[in-house]
Amino acid sequence: MTNKLTRRAAIALGAGAAAVPLVGTPAAAAPASTEHSLPPAERIRRVYERQKARAGGSWHSHIALVDAAGVPQPVVQDDADHVTKGYSVQKLAVATAVMDKIDRGELSLGTKLDLQADIILGGSGIYFLHTVWGDDITVANFLTAMLLVSDNTAVRMCGRVVPALEINEILAAKGFVHTRVEPVANPNRFFLGDTTPREIHDLLWRLATKTLLTPASCDFLLGILRWINGYHDGIRRSMSSAERSRVATKYGQDFNTLGASRHEAGVMFGADGAPALVYGLFAEGLGDLDNYGATHPAVEAHAVLGRTMFDVVSRVTNPAVQAKQPLRPFTAVDGG
């Protein structure tokens, strides 16, 4: 990006807009030749600490591995209750509110709205690329665009079916304290608002375990988030197509007076299809404001951490891998 209009501002403006880790201090670095033999949780912690230090900025994260009893056990809790701008990760909360209204029978995935020219936004997404508008599109269509390619216009479409105040009421009823959109004068417009790593972690865990919404609605959202044509610059960068399909992920990127923000949150599934790891990574106060690509230091950190977490998940959830294959040794790309 070359202009300084933030993505946050773009959502609401326009025509008619009215860890501190579980260990107390970072663990001492182990030699690259031995670190791959560390216990799974400790390996994740060490990679997280190293990549966080390399990327710089202020990180607020929550990572949990699911134990044999099916309970998520925290691996990294780094200022996990910090309230921060969610940016496009917050689209998970918006989608949750829309699906909740569908679950209550007040809306359907097949409901159609016209894609009006005066609500089109640039930045992330596809609708502004059409150059001509006026199509009637389904709720399913714009939810898919919002989560798969982080379409900003789709946020405005969501606001037309679930106004800002109603979104916040739904999120509050589901037990979220800090996760809110920020209303503006136009009741159908809003900024994406605030969240915390712990609340996004909770949202994703409940989505993966089919308790956030009806099972059918959870499956719909997870199917989009796990689709292999989604975001590949961060957590899923160094993965095969099959591996990417086992990761449901959503990113968020912008900048503010603190500096750049680069966020990513999601769920990794084991070979048996069960959720095995949940992560919420929120980094702010970063440099490289206009670099929204794979070479941003924080996004590169996500890629290294994603590969490490997936290898851990593969080992602890697949007995054949666990018996025959140790964790992948560190290489230069890991920062070992």
Side-chain angles (χ1 to χ4, degrees):
M1 285 186 137
T2 57
N3 63 62
K4 297 300 180 182
L5 176 65
T6 71
R7 295 182 178 200
R8 173 181 182 271
I11 294 294
L13 295 177
V20 175
L22 294 187
V23 289
T25 57
S33 60
T34 62
E35 193 164 19
H36 69 275
S37 63
L38 290 169
E42 182 61 20
R43 185 178 186 190
I44 292 172
R45 278 195 288 269
R46 295 202 185 197
V47 173
Y48 172 83
E49 285 295 341
R50 181 159 51 248
Q51 293 304 317
K52 170 186 170 182
R54 288 189 171 193
S58 298
W59 286 57
H60 320 285
S61 304
H62 192 293
I63 303 172
L65 267 172
V66 180
D67 65 17
V71 178
Q73 300 295 339
V75 173
V76 171
Q77 294 187 90
D78 187 355
D79 203 12
D81 295 308
H82 177 80
V83 179
T84 187
K85 296 299 178 189
Y87 297 125
S88 287
V89 170
Q90 203 79 337
K91 291 170 183 175
L92 293 169
V94 175
T96 296
V98 174
M99 296 307 298
D100 181 83
K101 197 163 184 175
I102 289 173
D103 287 345
R104 288 183 279 115
E106 299 177 17
L107 191 66
S108 78
L109 286 173
T111 300
K112 290 185 177 181
L113 282 77
D114 57 326
L115 187 61
Q116 302 166 349
D118 64 357
I119 71 167
I120 300 297
L121 289 170
S124 298
I126 56 173
Y127 292 136
F128 74 96
L129 295 171
H130 292 187
T131 71
V132 293
W133 301 283
D135 294 349
D136 287 340
I137 61 174
T138 62
V139 171
N141 183 312
F142 60 74
L143 283 176
T144 300
M146 184 174 71
L147 295 180
L148 191 68
V149 294
S150 207
D151 195 286
N152 288 331
T153 300
V155 177
R156 288 186 167 180
M157 296 293 280
C158 288
R160 290 172 64 189
V161 295
V162 191
L165 293 180
E166 186 178 358
I167 291 175
N168 286 341
E169 289 171 357
I170 292 169
L171 295 172
K174 291 186 178 297
F176 300 108
V177 176
H178 301 290
T179 304
R180 298 286 189 272
V181 298
E182 182 182 336
V184 295
N186 184 330
N188 301 110
R189 301 276 177 90
F190 49 84
F191 294 121
L192 286 170
D194 297 335
T195 190
T196 72
R198 194 182 305 279
E199 289 197 358
I200 285 296
H201 174 279
D202 180 51
L203 184 153
L204 285 161
W205 173 246
R206 291 161 62 186
L207 183 66
T209 55
K210 316 297 176 66
T211 58
L212 181 69
L213 301 157
T214 63
S217 290
C218 290
D219 284 338
F220 174 74
L221 296 183
L222 286 169
I224 299 168
L225 296 168
R226 292 178 65 169
W227 191 239
I228 59 173
N229 294 117
Y231 180 66
H232 294 159
D233 283 351
I235 292 291
R236 303 203 297 180
R237 187 192 309 183
S238 300
M239 296 183 187
S240 68
S241 296
E243 290 171 333
R244 287 172 174 170
S245 71
R246 284 171 48 189
V247 182
T249 200
K250 184 71 191 77
Y251 74 96
Q253 305 181 72
D254 210 326
F255 62 86
N256 54 36
T257 56
L258 298 175
S261 294
R262 299 293 181 268
H263 308 329
E264 192 167 356
V267 183
M268 292 186 176
F269 293 83
D272 61 356
L277 183 146
V278 187
Y279 58 91
L281 308 171
F282 293 79
E284 58 189 5
L286 301 161
D288 217 0
L289 267 63
D290 291 327
N291 181 3
Y292 292 96
T295 60
H296 191 283
V299 179
E300 291 184 324
H302 292 169
V304 173
L305 187 56
R307 183 69 253 178
T308 300
M309 293 190 300
F310 193 89
D311 286 346
V312 166
V313 164
S314 294
R315 186 183 186 211
V316 301
T317 63
N318 189 332
V321 172
Q322 192 172 134
K324 298 178 181 179
Q325 180 182 323
L327 288 173
R328 186 177 62 93
F330 272 55
T331 65
V333 73
D334 296 316

